[in-house]
Amino acid sequence: MKKVLVLLAVVLGLGTSVVFAEGVKDAKKEQTIKKSPDFIEIYMNDVPETIMDTLACEGAMIKQAFLSYGADGSRIYKVIILTSSLEETTRYFSEDGKVIR
């Protein structure tokens, strides 16, 4: 009888530690998501001319464009482009057409 009670206590102890560990993982995931800016898809016409000119000089075409706002209120553009060699890449631009990342 003693062995059964000890085994039951061990199983319950392990079960609750797994539940708490999953809660910690979810909390860390939420913090990571909150830190990253939320991008909304925009039309190609809404991309500033400076970004269009920068990409045109490189011979790249815009596939999709997204917009988000930085902590200081500045606009950040996430642009998925097709390069001249037909490779798909993602670039981040400020409003004035400078590459951020």
Side-chain angles (χ1 to χ4, degrees):
M1 184 70 169
K2 226 180 196 183
K3 289 180 183 178
V4 171
L5 289 175
V6 170
L7 181 63
L8 183 63
V10 169
V11 169
L12 288 176
L14 290 175
T16 55
S17 65
V18 170
V19 170
F20 288 124
E22 287 180 12
V24 171
K25 286 181 186 177
D26 291 340
K28 286 182 181 178
K29 188 176 182 181
E30 281 183 29
Q31 288 176 353
T32 304
I33 291 172
K34 287 180 183 177
K35 288 181 183 177
S36 64
D38 295 327
F39 286 94
I40 54 170
E41 190 168 3
I42 59 173
Y43 293 108
M44 305 299 169
N45 298 339
D46 296 333
V47 177
E49 288 290 322
T50 53
I51 296 174
M52 300 285 271
D53 292 341
T54 303
L55 294 174
C57 289
E58 297 174 4
M61 296 185 333
I62 297 177
K63 182 176 179 185
Q64 277 184 306
F66 302 90
L67 172 67
S68 181
Y69 292 94
D72 58 350
S74 62
R75 292 181 183 191
I76 301 171
Y77 292 91
K78 174 182 174 182
V79 182
I80 300 174
I81 61 171
L82 290 174
T83 61
S84 57
S85 60
L86 298 178
E87 293 179 21
E88 187 175 302
T89 60
T90 302
R91 286 211 186 144
Y92 297 87
F93 292 93
S94 62
E95 278 183 274
D96 56 359
K98 293 183 181 177
V99 178
I100 297 174
R101 296 184 224 168

